[in-house]
Amino acid sequence: MSKTAAAPAPAGADPSRWKALVFIALAQLMVVLDATIVNIALPSAQTDLGISDGNRQWVITAYALAFGGLLLFGGRIADKWGRKNAFITGLAGFALASALGGAATGEAMMLGARALQGAFGALLAPAALSLLAVTFTDAKERAKAFGIYGAIAGGGGAVGLILGGFLTEYLNWRWTFFVNIPFAIVAAAGAWMVIREPAGSRNAARLDVPGVILSTLGLVSLVYGFTRAESAGWSDAITVSLFVASAVLLLAFVAVESKVKSPLLPLRVLLERNRGGVYLSLGLAVIAMFGLFLFLTYYLQVVKGFSPVKTGFAFLPMIAGMITGSTQIGARLMTRVAPRLLMGPGFLLAGAGMLLLTQLEVGSSYPALILPAQLLLGLGMGTAFMPAMSLATYGVNPADAGVASAMVNTSQQVGGAIGTALLNTIAASATTAYLTDHAAQAAAGGEAGKLVQAQAMVEGYSAAIWWAVGILVISATIAFTLINTGRPGSGGPVAGGAGADSEDAEFKVPVIAH
């Protein structure tokens, strides 16, 4: 009996594209892991290196500032220099910075290593996503590839909590840095051998230096403003000054980009409604997700008394949901239904999971409440992430793929900074209000006092999670409203009109032609 023949490869497809996906996904996993893995190790590292309580936040902030501030620059460098070159250089630099962090002997060395990690991550992340965009151009293959990538982008942070717990508890906090080195070596070696960047996809235009300076300073001011607001408060003079400076710098950046011949961020990348809808809806959804990671970690460890490793494993249902949503729902339906019909319901499903978590109490059952809530969150976010990652480079010229990819990373990075600061501030205010109302019981001490403290914390988490529910509903509304491209190959609505890329106005599917 003859076997059924495998589906033929699309004409002109790179025969090594699936091998390339393995190494691109590995690099993306390393970057996403690093966003959370260090959080678990921070208390131990702080003690060993003598970092003060006031400066410990800089271990996280130094990375976030460099990463968020340099993403657009990194994306344009990838377009200009070549995505494979940028990808391998980013991996090598990230590994070197990780080695410095793991070998840190003091505060200055640690903070410098974290800033270097962020800088090389800003080169690596957009290069990885744009390599996928120019490698997978067949609609069905693209859906599968971005399904895998979306699952990693969505679930990697939770995996970082598990890995960070294991490494910190059973080895040493330094291994949360050293673990990046084998990831980077394998990904770089594989990329060198199998990635073939399409000819003619580079952007040879001169680098927009004023745009680089204005965007970097503007994004750094914005990220640092939200980070500072978390500790110093929203009315702090420096916090307000940072937000004002950010607004002025980013408005100046937009003005410059509309005038210069070869802009760092061509405004057509932002103003095409499908890409703009992705950047905005995904950035808002990440606000909700980052806040949830923070609250659930504290709830499980502080209120429920879970160990770091047990806390990491407690996030497994969310990871399973994200992988299922990306690879089994999103990837299978991407070629059959319009992207907005995946993203909108996906965000609403995640919102339903978040809504369950507003019922958190001190004695809440993990199997009865937290587990089903995480499954809904994971399924919803995984389903939405997959088409979002694919649409991030919808209709762009190959020469703009890097900066379009950088924009989706920028929206997530800025969303993460905003989410942590905004939701944490809301939670802290609600906790303080609860303690004020129950001051007598809190002052009693003993078990009664501890219970009131725990109830106050949970009250704060619940208040912030209500905000997260609302943010996810807004994300869904934006996805339904702005994203109007039809399913691949359907000939459905195209994002034409004002703001669409004039040279791409005939695109019917979210695929990059070259």
Side-chain angles (χ1 to χ4, degrees):
M1 291 179 67
S2 61
K3 293 183 180 179
T4 304
D14 182 352
S16 300
R17 62 196 180 282
W18 292 108
K19 293 178 184 176
L21 174 62
V22 172
F23 300 112
I24 293 169
L26 186 63
Q28 173 65 11
L29 178 61
M30 180 186 73
V31 172
V32 176
L33 282 176
D34 202 74
T36 53
I37 196 170
V38 175
N39 289 5
I40 296 286
L42 184 54
S44 301
Q46 180 185 358
T47 302
D48 279 3
L49 301 179
I51 301 174
S52 68
D53 286 347
N55 287 341
R56 67 182 175 188
Q57 66 159 335
W58 281 100
V59 177
I60 307 299
T61 305
Y63 178 86
L65 289 179
F67 192 87
L70 294 172
L71 268 168
L72 287 178
F73 183 39
R76 186 50 89 195
I77 289 293
D79 286 334
K80 187 176 178 64
W81 187 29
R83 294 168 194 90
K84 179 176 176 177
N85 292 335
F87 183 74
I88 292 172
T89 302
L91 282 166
F94 202 91
L96 176 62
S98 298
L100 285 174
T105 55
E107 182 177 312
M109 188 172 173
M110 169 60 77
L111 298 184
R114 288 293 283 162
L116 267 180
Q117 277 187 312
F120 282 107
L123 181 63
L124 173 60
L129 184 56
S130 56
L131 275 172
L132 275 191
V134 298
T135 300
F136 291 91
T137 55
D138 175 74
K140 288 188 177 180
E141 289 196 348
R142 185 180 175 92
K144 291 178 184 177
F146 277 94
I148 294 167
Y149 188 90
I152 290 170
V159 175
L161 295 171
I162 298 173
L163 189 57
F166 263 107
L167 293 173
T168 303
E169 198 163 318
Y170 297 116
L171 290 173
N172 184 285
W173 66 265
R174 296 182 184 277
W175 283 97
T176 60
F177 288 89
F178 291 146
V179 74
N180 291 327
I181 299 172
F183 275 96
I185 291 172
V186 172
W192 180 265
M193 291 186 287
V194 305
I195 289 179
R196 303 286 182 269
E197 192 171 354
S201 63
R202 294 190 186 183
N203 187 336
R206 290 180 61 186
L207 191 62
D208 171 21
V209 176
V212 169
I213 294 170
L214 288 169
S215 67
T216 301
L217 291 178
L219 287 171
V220 165
S221 296
L222 183 64
V223 174
Y224 184 35
F226 276 104
T227 304
R228 184 178 173 84
E230 187 180 353
S231 56
W234 297 94
S235 59
D236 174 70
I238 296 177
T239 302
V240 173
S241 299
L242 285 165
F243 285 132
V244 171
S246 173
V248 171
L249 289 163
L250 292 176
L251 285 172
F253 171 68
V254 171
V256 167
E257 299 308 276
S258 66
K259 304 289 185 186
V260 298
K261 185 178 179 181
S262 303
L264 173 69
L265 175 61
L267 295 184
R268 62 181 177 269
V269 171
L270 280 180
L271 296 178
E272 197 282 318
R273 64 183 294 165
N274 290 282
R275 291 195 298 269
V278 166
Y279 302 147
L280 188 55
S281 62
L282 198 58
L284 286 169
V286 169
I287 289 177
M289 285 299 293
F290 265 65
L292 180 72
F293 277 138
L294 178 73
F295 299 139
L296 266 189
T297 300
Y298 273 93
Y299 174 79
L300 293 171
Q301 288 198 42
V302 178
V303 178
K304 305 297 281 187
F306 284 21
S307 68
V309 171
K310 190 176 180 181
T311 299
F313 274 106
F315 280 97
L316 277 177
M318 191 184 299
I319 300 170
M322 284 181 174
I323 293 172
T324 303
S326 286
T327 61
Q328 301 304 311
I329 301 175
R332 289 176 184 270
L333 295 180
M334 180 69 178
T335 56
R336 301 177 186 177
V337 301
R340 68 179 178 275
L341 299 181
L342 290 174
M343 290 181 64
F347 289 137
L348 289 176
L349 186 61
M354 203 75 82
L355 189 63
L356 276 180
L357 288 174
T358 61
Q359 307 305 307
L360 266 184
E361 295 176 357
V362 173
S364 291
S365 164
Y366 177 86
L369 179 67
I370 299 171
L371 188 149
Q374 286 198 57
L375 284 173
L376 289 174
L377 274 161
L379 282 170
M381 292 302 287
T383 300
F385 260 61
M386 200 288 296
M389 290 295 177
S390 181
L391 280 177
T393 47
Y394 169 85
V396 298
N397 288 327
D400 287 336
V403 76
S405 302
M407 268 306 301
V408 76
N409 281 288
T410 300
S411 69
Q412 291 181 77
Q413 189 66 25
V414 172
I418 293 171
T420 303
L422 176 64
L423 297 182
N424 202 39
T425 303
I426 292 167
S429 298
T431 296
T432 301
Y434 186 92
L435 287 172
T436 302
D437 291 342
H438 299 79
Q441 298 97 309
E447 290 301 317
K450 288 180 181 178
L451 181 60
V452 171
Q453 293 283 347
Q455 287 171 336
M457 289 176 65
V458 174
E459 185 75 15
Y461 302 155
S462 180
I465 290 170
W466 271 111
W467 278 76
V469 172
I471 290 168
L472 284 169
V473 171
I474 294 171
S475 290
T477 304
I478 290 168
F480 279 126
T481 305
L482 288 184
I483 296 171
N484 71 342
T485 180
R487 64 181 175 82
S490 68
V494 184
D501 296 8
S502 58
E503 66 269 38
D504 295 318
E506 296 304 314
F507 270 74
K508 297 281 194 298
V509 296
V511 178
I512 294 178
H514 51 83

